[in-house]
Every structure is written in structure tokens, then in C-alpha cells.
Amino acid sequence: MSRIGRKPIPVPEAVTVELAPGRVAVKGPRGELAQRLSPEMAVEQAEGVVTVQRPTDRGEHRALHGLTRSLIANMVEGVTDGFEKQLEIQGVGYRAQLKGKSLEMALGYSRPVSIEPPEGIEFEVPQPTEIVVRGIDKQLVGQVAADIRKRRPPEPYKGKGIRYRGEHVARKVGKRA
């Protein structure tokens, strides 16, 4: 193993990282996550820092090195701080509300759209036109937010639909008389 990662991953004291061949488990105050890794990458832990090493400088090893480092860093950040995605609903009559733990949205269809949160995900609706998706797994939070957005993506003429907070929707002019 020749190359050490340029950015070692700092591990807070409240977090424990367990390393096994081809597997990493991270436990922290918000929960625990586990991930399978490529056996070609060497992951080491010393003095509160996790480093990833790659065997060569070939392109696929460099890419795998960056992926491995990002996955571990996201796991450490997830069990300490967690992740969230914020969505906005725009359109007359479009709104969201919580029914127990599930999210129920009125999106202009004949009946409300209901979404059950998967394990490790929670929804918050601070206003009827805002949705917050929270969890410790960055990939799962992003996937659930994308699934919600897919129910009514923003359309280009009036901009109605569900979008990420701060997302710019390219608008089209429409028909002229």
C-alpha cells in the first residue's frame, strides 16, 4: 500500500469506528451505520483519525479511494450530526401534513399521496408548503427526498410542483397570442 489519503477523517470522541476486512461500522450518539468496502482499499485507524490507502495510482484505484473516503466521512458525520434535505411545494392547493409518522400530500391528484418513512428516516412539516427529510444515512435521505420530489416535479411553465430548497427551475415562455 503506497498512498495515504490526502485528507484523513477526524473521528470525534463520542464516535467509535470498528474496522474489519471489507467492512466498516460506525457508532455514534445518533445511531450506527455499517458499510461494505472494497478489499483493495486499506482502512486504518490511529489516534482519533481514520486514513484510507490505495495500492496503486491507477485510475480505478484513485476513484475507489475517493469513494471509500467519502463513504466513511459521511458515516461519521451522519452518526454525529445527521443529514437533512429541505423541499418546497409550490402551487395552488398543494400542501403537505404529517399523519402519525407518514407524510400525506395534496398534489392536485384525485386523492392524497401518502409516503411511509423507511427505517431511520423522519419527516417534519414546519409549514404546509415545506417538507424536511432527516436521517443519519446520507444516501437514504437523498433517495427519500428524490422519491418525494418525483411525485410532482416542478413543471417549466408555471413552476408548480415539489422542488429542493434553493433549486432553480428553468421557466419557459409558453404560448403567445
Side-chain angles (χ1 to χ4, degrees):
M1 299 289 161
S2 63
R3 303 284 295 170
I4 295 179
R6 297 199 196 302
K7 292 184 183 176
I9 305 162
V11 179
E13 288 189 22
V15 175
T16 59
V17 178
E18 297 175 14
L19 302 173
R23 188 171 182 280
V24 172
V26 180
K27 292 181 186 176
R30 290 185 175 249
E32 63 181 88
L33 294 170
Q35 181 79 38
R36 287 181 43 208
L37 303 174
S38 171
E40 296 181 17
M41 295 296 122
V43 182
E44 298 173 355
Q45 180 180 13
E47 300 173 8
V49 173
V50 174
T51 56
V52 180
Q53 295 179 339
R54 62 180 176 245
T56 66
D57 271 344
R58 291 187 1 218
E60 61 261 20
H61 285 152
R62 290 167 44 135
L64 200 55
H65 179 223
L67 172 70
T68 304
R69 190 218 171 272
S70 292
L71 288 174
I72 296 171
N74 287 339
M75 288 168 53
V76 169
E77 184 179 345
V79 298
T80 53
D81 300 330
F83 293 100
E84 75 174 30
K85 285 272 189 180
Q86 298 178 350
L87 298 152
E88 297 174 341
I89 302 175
Q90 290 190 352
V92 176
Y94 292 8
R95 64 179 56 70
Q97 64 183 5
L98 286 176
K99 290 261 176 126
K101 290 189 174 195
S102 65
L103 179 68
E104 190 169 281
M105 299 178 289
L107 298 174
Y109 298 121
S110 60
R111 58 185 58 163
V113 176
S114 183
I115 298 177
E116 291 290 326
E119 186 70 31
I121 295 293
E122 60 184 45
F123 298 127
E124 180 185 335
V125 182
Q127 295 180 10
T129 59
E130 293 180 9
I131 302 169
V132 180
V133 181
R134 286 199 178 95
I136 61 172
D137 188 352
K138 185 175 187 176
Q139 184 176 352
L140 186 59
V141 168
Q143 184 63 53
V144 170
D147 289 342
I148 292 172
R149 183 183 182 275
K150 192 167 64 173
R151 301 302 170 112
R152 181 67 88 175
E155 55 95 17
Y157 295 102
K158 293 183 180 178
K160 294 168 35 170
I162 302 173
R163 64 180 75 181
Y164 297 111
R165 173 165 288 162
E167 177 184 3
H168 174 72
V169 175
R171 303 286 295 270
K172 292 183 178 179
V173 176
K175 209 190 300 187
R176 293 217 167 110

